[in-house]
Amino acid sequence: MKTMLHGTVLAFGLILPLGVQNLFLLCQGAFQPKLWRALPGVVTAALCDTLLIVLAVAGVTRLVAASVMVAALLSALGCLLLFYLGWRSWRSEQETSAAREALSPLKQVALAAGVSLGNPHAILDTIGVIGVASLQYAGEEKIIFSLSCIAVSWLWFFSLAAAGRIFGSRFIAQGRKLNKLAALCIWGAAVYLGMRAF
């Protein structure tokens, strides 16, 4: 249960800030004539996040499997990165560069993949934070942690499109409040990671 909660809170804190990826999905939910027409973008973003999480957990674990010193160093860097990401989220302004129009399925897939895999923050989040946080788990616990992070991605992206459809621009305007909440979650995850690692 603790492992599932850790993965859920960590992933939620990292995914919550209203950056380009999230705003893109919100806008597709708001501007598509029907909610189901936003699914190509939602599913693409969720699959990209799943890929990044699996690669991060598998790759980082393999890298540090033979070295306690490397594991401690990566955990310390992960804590620092979390505090930095929390600070960025706390101070960030709402992004305005995401597409604010209804796009065709093919364009949604291309843009969702671009803002997911081409986003350095997403890569840092998964490799530098989720991958490092997974080091404290092994076997079944590592699988539970990974699946919790993946489930948050899928649920959050579907929720964003639905919220965009229901609330439209009123929800998008709440980006600053969401970013503050995300910062608190990220800082809490940093403290937890530090306590478990050291």
Side-chain angles (χ1 to χ4, degrees):
M1 201 61 188
K2 278 186 179 180
T3 305
M4 185 183 299
L5 182 61
H6 180 210
T8 301
V9 171
L10 178 62
F12 186 69
L14 292 172
I15 205 170
L16 184 59
L18 198 59
V20 175
Q21 183 188 49
N22 287 346
L23 188 58
F24 169 74
L25 296 176
L26 266 173
C27 289
Q28 289 310 299
F31 300 130
Q32 289 289 346
K34 298 285 184 185
L35 180 58
W36 64 266
R37 293 200 178 194
L39 288 180
V42 171
V43 172
T44 301
L47 286 172
C48 289
D49 263 31
T50 299
L51 174 65
L52 289 174
I53 290 168
V54 169
L55 290 175
V57 171
V60 171
T61 302
R62 198 174 297 120
L63 174 69
V64 301
S67 174
V68 175
M69 181 77 83
V70 172
L73 177 62
L74 285 177
S75 294
L77 290 174
C79 287
L80 291 174
L81 181 58
L82 279 171
F83 278 112
Y84 169 72
L85 291 172
W87 176 78
R88 284 282 310 263
S89 179
W90 187 268
R91 293 175 47 89
S92 68
E93 297 294 329
Q94 182 176 323
E95 298 278 356
T96 57
S97 57
R100 292 175 178 270
E101 58 180 290
L103 299 174
S104 70
L106 191 58
K107 284 185 178 178
Q108 283 186 62
V109 169
L111 275 175
V115 298
S116 300
L117 299 176
N119 181 354
H121 293 299
I123 295 169
L124 280 175
D125 288 350
T126 51
I127 303 293
V129 178
I130 291 175
V132 171
S134 73
L135 294 174
Q136 60 196 277
Y137 303 113
E140 185 179 309
E141 283 191 329
K142 186 179 289 292
I143 294 170
I144 291 170
F145 174 82
S146 303
L147 290 177
S148 299
C149 294
I150 290 167
V152 167
S153 289
W154 282 81
L155 290 172
W156 179 248
F157 292 149
F158 277 100
S159 299
L160 280 174
R165 184 71 189 156
I166 295 166
F167 301 108
S169 59
R170 288 176 295 168
F171 189 79
I172 294 170
Q174 299 301 310
R176 284 179 60 89
K177 292 178 184 175
L178 287 174
N179 288 346
K180 302 285 187 194
L181 177 60
L184 295 175
C185 290
I186 292 170
W187 287 332
V191 171
Y192 183 78
L193 176 61
M195 288 171 60
R196 288 294 299 266
F198 306 107

